[in-house]
Amino acid sequence: MDTLSGNTGYWLQQAANATFLASIYAVLATAYALLQGITNRIVLSFGDIATIGAFAAVSVSVWGFLGGREGLLALLPAVIAAMVASAVVGRLAHGLVFKPILAASGQAVMIASIGLSIVLQEIMRLQSGGRDLWLPPFFGSSLPVLDGVFPVQLGYTALAMATLSVLALGGLQLLIRLTRAGRLWRAVSENPRLAALSGVNTDTVFRWSFIGAGGFAGIAGASIAANYGGVSFVMGLVLGFKAMFAAII
């Protein structure tokens, strides 16, 4: 194993930590961009949708830990639960909140998204009793990369979630570029009226965009819950703004 100076090891460790954070916000920004690109509207609910996913991940993780599971056997079901929970919220948000106002002018969609965030926060506050929820680590050790005065290590949880994020983003890129669903999404994002006149069922495209965006938000929520070991019902607002800034950049 190579040996590093303390200064070099410190900055390499910080770079690894930054890469993990980037994987979280890249996925969340992608969820935001999936809808902003097709609706041309600002939807500020994704931080709270991700938090719903984080709460689902915590619940399933606790169930796994109590059943004697650890590592990937506990982490993967938690990620799946987070994706499903957030995708369901995305589907309900489309049908109950956004579908009737997507064609409206002005800031109706953004205002409705703020209202949705408040509702989701209140649901999570009641469910958690206003307390933060905490988790034990999924893995009991980390991967040593380089030794030295300041050794560089990668947490197995962070490594697993960053890998999943890269795979999810790569899969979405292939989906958008190579499949019929991707062509329909691109058509509706460029001109929804012309796409509808060409026979595209724009409502279906919008619905599945909300579901897919919710699923990506769930991955981000699961990453936060798994790596930080806890969630709070109030963290969605900051996550949502960071996702919006990342998507704009």
Side-chain angles (χ1 to χ4, degrees):
M1 184 178 294
D2 296 331
T3 301
L4 294 175
S5 66
N7 189 54
T8 303
Y10 172 80
W11 287 111
L12 285 176
Q13 184 66 66
Q14 294 305 317
N17 296 339
T19 300
F20 160 68
L21 286 175
S23 71
I24 292 178
Y25 291 112
V27 172
L28 199 54
T30 298
Y32 177 90
L34 268 175
L35 287 190
Q36 198 278 336
I38 199 172
T39 64
N40 200 27
R41 297 288 190 274
I42 296 174
V43 180
L44 296 176
S45 305
F46 278 104
D48 294 288
I49 294 175
T51 306
I52 288 283
F55 269 74
V58 168
S59 299
V60 173
S61 298
V62 170
W63 172 78
F65 288 138
L66 292 176
R69 298 179 180 86
E70 60 181 15
L72 288 176
L73 293 179
L75 181 60
L76 291 179
V79 174
I80 294 172
M83 293 177 64
V84 171
S86 296
V88 169
V89 172
R91 172 66 180 92
L92 293 175
H94 171 260
L96 300 178
V97 179
F98 296 111
K99 181 179 178 180
I101 59 174
L102 281 177
S105 59
Q107 304 300 325
V109 172
M110 184 180 69
I111 294 171
S113 71
I114 295 173
L116 176 62
S117 292
I118 293 172
V119 170
L120 293 178
Q121 284 186 21
E122 188 65 13
I123 290 173
M124 289 181 285
R125 183 187 70 82
L126 294 174
Q127 190 273 336
S128 64
R131 300 185 301 272
D132 294 349
L133 303 181
W134 300 100
L135 278 176
F138 286 91
F139 299 92
S141 60
S142 58
L143 177 66
V145 179
L146 293 169
D147 200 3
V149 178
F150 196 102
V152 179
Q153 298 182 344
L154 297 177
Y156 287 114
T157 303
L159 189 60
M161 294 308 304
T163 302
L164 176 61
S165 298
V166 171
L167 292 175
L169 293 172
L172 178 64
Q173 181 78 353
L174 294 176
L175 179 72
I176 293 294
R177 292 190 175 275
L178 302 180
T179 68
R180 182 175 182 271
R183 290 193 297 272
L184 295 179
W185 186 91
R186 296 200 309 272
V188 176
S189 67
E190 291 177 7
N191 193 322
R193 182 173 297 180
L194 183 58
L197 291 174
S198 301
V200 177
N201 189 333
T202 57
D203 182 62
T204 299
V205 176
F206 281 120
R207 180 170 64 250
W208 279 102
S209 296
F210 272 88
I211 294 172
F216 271 83
I219 295 175
S223 294
I224 293 169
N227 284 281
Y228 292 106
V231 294
S232 172
F233 70 95
V234 297
M235 71 183 190
L237 180 63
V238 174
L239 290 175
F241 277 116
K242 288 184 177 180
M244 182 180 69
F245 295 150
I248 291 172
I249 292 171

